[in-house]
Amino acid sequence: MMAAVNTALVVGGGFSGMAAAIRMRRAGIAVDLVEIDSEWCPLGAGITINGATLRALETLGVYERFKEYGVTSDGVDVYTAEGASIGRLPTPPVVGSDVPGGGGIMRPDLARILADATRQAGVSVRLGTTFKEVVQDAEGVDVDFTDGTRGRYDLLVGADGVHSRLRELFFPEVAPPEYIGQGVWRAVLPRLPDLARPRMWLGRKVKIGVNPVSPTRMYMFLTEERPVKTHIDEATWADVVAGLMRPFTAPDVQSLIQYVHAPEAAIDYRPLGNLLVPLPWNRGRVVMIGDTVAATTPHLASGAGIGIESGIVLGEELGRHADLQAALDAFHARRWERCRMVIHNSERLCRIEMEGGDKEEHGRILRESMQALTASI
């Protein structure tokens, strides 16, 4: 069967855009990808990956390379702020794959793996440029680029992130993400000697977690309630993180405080928000995926995962249908409920943490969500 389109442009070289480009090439579609960052270098420290995302990386053919650079594991060990064991949260096996329940990797490493796969798939990648103007008609999309060139495509895939300019153009009624009242701190620290899998310590309104990302390093994340979104002087970041860690008397947490002031910690702070654009995610021949239309807080370690999955599903449905609208309808049908569940449940987990709420409810939502994510996409 012929694919629904012959040519496509992907705007944005993040995880979801690369996944869509790779999968569309497998469907025989000629793909251009433009990325405004001339270095194609994502910011960030480590990233936690769940089993569903590992399965998606396997689908893209990069799981073996992930294992070369990252770490895979099963389960999450949970403790009180004082270090008493609460138990091990299981990471159930995913449908259709034997990958482990989760893992961790440095975000730049994962980006490089996917970038290599994107080029190897035959995608034409152009860095340091993006769209300037987009005009579509019934037969195609005309694009003027910032480097002075022009192109015409059967389909434009918007994957330019949570602050998307394409969303502003084609979904002007959608408000930008609103701050949710919680922030996340991230750092890269020496790996605890006995750390075999992710570990979390639960305070009343602060949560600390660590996840191995290499034989010698681990990624630490710390969430805190911060009711008002205010500027935090970067020069104070290490002191803020150390101050949030000190009330946790667990010996492992205390042992890590000494490392947060080191330059190698690469501390990063992000205020959290989410976004779920109502269906349909297309306006004619322009379709949005990833954080552009479905951005989540990190509480289910699924933000990158649902974006990668959406890129895969879009490519699959374009290859299965000769009619573009039929392909887009099938794409929407497969992605809406899964993305909605992740965003809704992540927000609920966030609010329980901010409010010092019911930890039994928190655990139940975690377990139910992780089980739901094991289903095929």
Side-chain angles (χ1 to χ4, degrees), residues 322-339:
D323 177 72
L324 176 57
Q325 190 57 55
L328 294 175
D329 289 346
F331 163 71
H332 290 133
R334 290 177 63 186
R335 295 312 297 158
W336 172 258
E337 178 53 31
R338 190 172 177 88
C339 291

Side-chain angles (χ1 to χ4, degrees), residues 10-13 16 34-36 130-131 134 156-177 275 277 281 283 286-295:
V10 178
V11 176
S16 58
V34 292
E35 164 56 44
I36 190 63
T130 187
F131 74 95
V134 176
L156 189 155
V157 180
D160 55 337
V162 68
H163 302 296
S164 168
R165 286 180 55 228
L166 280 167
R167 188 182 65 239
E168 291 178 5
L169 284 174
F170 290 93
F171 295 79
E173 74 282 5
V174 175
L275 174 73
V277 176
W281 289 340
R283 293 293 184 268
V286 177
V287 62
M288 311 287 181
I289 63 172
D291 287 349
T292 303
V293 286

